[in-house]
Amino acid sequence: MAETAFIRELQTMQTSLYLAAAGGALVAYDQILTFPQEVDHIWNQRWSFITVLYLIARYSGSLSMIGLAAWYMCVNWTYSVNLNMYLTVTWAQNIFLLAMQAILVFRVYALFNGSKKVLIFLATLCVLQAAAGFVMTGLLFNNRMIHEYVTSLSPAMGSVGLFPGVNTSAKYLLLFQDSAIPPVVFDTVLLLFALQAFVRHALEAKTLGGGWSINVLIKTLVADHVLYFVCNLTWLLLTLATNYASSDYVQLMYVSNVSSTLAVVAGPRMVISLRAIEHKTRQEGETLERELSTVRFGIREPPTQSESVMEEGCGFRAMGEDCE
């Protein structure tokens, strides 16, 4: 019986190692793949608050996933390095989630046409839930029992400890895993606000134009928001569910690891894709304006940007996008 449990745990540890390695490799590959777009639409553009938030989310998320892969793969860590790696990965995940929430707050703010009431309300909720999460995580790391848990996770120590029912010190992780509750609630509120704005824009388009034509920037905002929300919610809910699962604990942990990787990839891509589409929209608007002006007035020099194009671009200044 004990031998069977030990073999099962070794298999679980091996699968976790493979998933962590795959997640770290996927995040690294995605960062290499999107780096040219990042240079064009982030580094070479005028810097803003959203630029800073993007960089924080991008590289804290990468640090969390690549650091997790390194932590699992290198079994000969000393106790001190093992503990510091665990702390680094956990805090990097928290910072990533907070940076992405701040980005989503500004995106919802833009969808509501720069409503200060919406911004103040969402910013207040963001600060409160972030403070709650950080306090809960800080309390966990101040508890001496976390040292036993981290030690038990090291294969070099020869200890069993991935299952809450086996390792009694794992019960102290309830505080950390329950810290997923505030982000889940806040992310749901953000999604509801985004969907409300999308429906409102759709109804306005229907009333004014007689059809369900939605601005491409608004479509991108909401579609990316929904995709990230699904990945992130799955990650957080499964992290929370591992507290109360028994036989399905391992399966939930596996899916949670995959979801966290997808969230880290999808989050920063939202900013790049929006800026790419906005840039394309401006170029197309300038080209159309130039062609119309040439036909109507016979001028050969390109005119200044039309008011409609400028208004469309500046409508997203709330997210830190530059208005040329």
Side-chain angles (χ1 to χ4, degrees), residues 19 234-235 237-259:
L19 288 175
T234 304
W235 173 18
L237 286 181
L238 290 178
T239 299
L240 182 63
T242 55
N243 292 339
Y244 311 104
S246 55
S247 59
D248 295 330
Y249 171 81
V250 177
Q251 288 76 12
L252 291 175
M253 183 180 65
Y254 292 160
V255 180
S256 177
N257 289 340
V258 174
S259 301

Side-chain angles (χ1 to χ4, degrees), residues 93-165:
Q93 289 176 344
N94 282 317
I95 293 172
F96 166 78
L97 292 173
L98 180 59
M100 285 306 309
Q101 287 173 339
I103 291 174
L104 293 176
V105 166
F106 279 98
R107 290 164 76 99
V108 172
Y109 170 52
L111 284 171
F112 278 84
N113 297 322
S115 171
K116 291 184 178 180
K117 292 182 179 179
V118 171
L119 178 62
I120 293 173
F121 175 72
L122 293 179
T124 302
L125 287 183
C126 185
V127 171
L128 291 176
Q129 64 88 31
F134 284 154
V135 167
M136 295 171 76
T137 304
L139 289 175
L140 168 72
F141 290 146
N142 283 331
N143 193 308
R144 64 183 182 84
M145 297 303 293
I146 189 62
H147 300 286
E148 292 185 18
Y149 176 79
V150 173
T151 301
S152 70
L153 286 182
S154 174
M157 300 295 179
S159 173
V160 293
L162 287 179
F163 300 98

Side-chain angles (χ1 to χ4, degrees), residues 219-296:
K219 287 182 180 179
T220 303
L221 278 170
V222 178
D224 289 347
H225 192 144
V226 171
L227 175 62
Y228 172 76
F229 174 81
V230 171
C231 296
N232 193 46
L233 183 67
T234 304
W235 173 18
L236 294 175
L237 286 181
L238 290 178
T239 299
L240 182 63
T242 55
N243 292 339
Y244 311 104
S246 55
S247 59
D248 295 330
Y249 171 81
V250 177
Q251 288 76 12
L252 291 175
M253 183 180 65
Y254 292 160
V255 180
S256 177
N257 289 340
V258 174
S259 301
S260 64
T261 302
L262 295 178
V264 168
V265 170
R269 275 179 172 265
M270 293 195 311
V271 179
I272 294 178
S273 65
L274 179 64
R275 290 199 173 185
I277 292 176
E278 185 187 16
H279 180 69
K280 181 180 178 181
T281 302
R282 288 179 179 177
Q283 284 185 327
E284 291 176 350
E286 291 174 355
T287 301
L288 178 61
E289 180 68 20
R290 185 181 297 107
E291 292 175 353
L292 291 176
S293 299
T294 302
V295 171
R296 292 177 181 175

Side-chain angles (χ1 to χ4, degrees), residues 193-210:
F193 268 81
L195 293 177
Q196 178 187 352
F198 180 79
V199 171
R200 188 188 64 185
H201 284 291
L203 292 176
E204 290 177 354
K206 175 68 174 178
T207 302
L208 297 176

